[in-house]
Amino acid sequence: MSTTASDPLAALGSLPGVPDAVDSVRKAVDRVYGHRVMRRRSNEVTAEAALRGSRGSAALAGADWNLEEVRRRTDFSGEDEARMVGAALRLTAEAGQLLSIWRQSPLRVLARLHLVAAGGASPDDAVGRPRLAGESVDEPLIEAPLPGAEEVAGRLEGLSQLIIAGGSAPALVTAAVVHGELLALRPFGSHNGLVARTAERIVLIGSGLDPKSICPAEVGHAEQGRAAYVAAFEGYTAGTPEGMAAWIAHCGRSIELGVRESTAVCEALQRGAA
C-alpha cells in the first residue's frame, strides 16, 4: 500500500470507479437487511452466511468442498483439505468475538487469528506471531514477491495505526486494503489467505456495514474464481491508482455476491425450504 495523503484510506475512496462500487455495495447490503426474514430469523441467516463464507475461503485456499459436505462433516482432522476447511470454520466463528479488540489492537487480533487457524499449536512453533528473517511461508495461491521480515513488521505497524486512527474511508475501502495488505505481506508461516479474508470480515462487521455478518465476501471471492482473485490482487500489489481501484472493485463485487447468496437464504427460509 503506497499513498502519501494525510488520510490514505479516504484518498483511495476517491479513485475512479470506487465511489460507484461503494454505493453499489451499500445499496445491496441495505436491500438484504430490509428483507422481511431478517426481522425474525436473522440468526439463522447469520449462521448460514458463516458456513458459506467459510466454505468459500477454504475453496480459495485449495479445499474446494461441496457446501453439504462442509455442513455434514464433524471431523476436520486428517488430510490437508479437511484441516483447511476446519481452520476456515474456526476463524469465522472467532471473528465476531474479536471486534472489541480490533480497534485497539489489530496486531493482537491477527496473532489470535493465526493461532486459531493453526489449531492451537505450541507457542514454541512459529504460530501466532509474524515470521522472522529466514522463515518460510506456505501460501501456494499467492506468488507475489515475499517481503522481508523487517518490512513486514513496519507495514503491519503502519496498517495497525491506520485502523486505530479510524478515519472517513468507506468500509469497503478499509476492508479491501486490510485484506490486500495481509495477502501482500503474508506475515505468518501459513494460513495467510484465511487470516486476510477473516480480517476483511471483521472490518465489514465492525464498521457497521454488515453488523450481523450476513454478507460473506468470501463467497463472492470464491465465486469469481481463484484466477480473478489473483489477478485483482496483482493490481493491489502494483500500487497504481488503476490497480488499487480494480482490487477495491473486486472486493465490492465479492460482497455483492455474498449478499446475493444470503438473499437466496432469506428466500428459502421464507418458503420454509431451509
Side-chain angles (χ1 to χ4, degrees), residues 138-158:
D138 179 15
E139 200 67 45
L141 179 61
I142 303 301
E143 298 179 353
L146 190 67
E150 186 174 346
E151 180 181 351
V152 168
R155 286 172 64 175
L156 279 177
E157 182 60 32

Side-chain angles (χ1 to χ4, degrees), residues 62-78:
D64 192 0
W65 284 19
N66 181 278
L67 179 63
E68 293 310 312
E69 174 65 11
V70 179
R71 195 190 306 279
R72 179 194 65 80
R73 190 80 167 252
T74 57
D75 180 8
F76 294 96
S77 61

Side-chain angles (χ1 to χ4, degrees), residues 119-135:
S122 168
D124 292 336
D125 298 330
V127 174
R129 63 158 174 79
R131 55 187 166 83
L132 304 177
E135 290 183 338

Side-chain angles (χ1 to χ4, degrees), residues 12-14 24 34 38 41 45 55 61 70 82 90 101 118 148 174 176 179-180 220 239 254-255 261:
L12 293 175
S14 65
S24 182
M38 288 297 297
R41 303 181 72 176
V45 182
R55 193 218 71 83
V70 179
R90 291 193 301 272
I101 305 172
T174 303
H179 184 169
S254 295
I255 297 169
E261 189 89 351

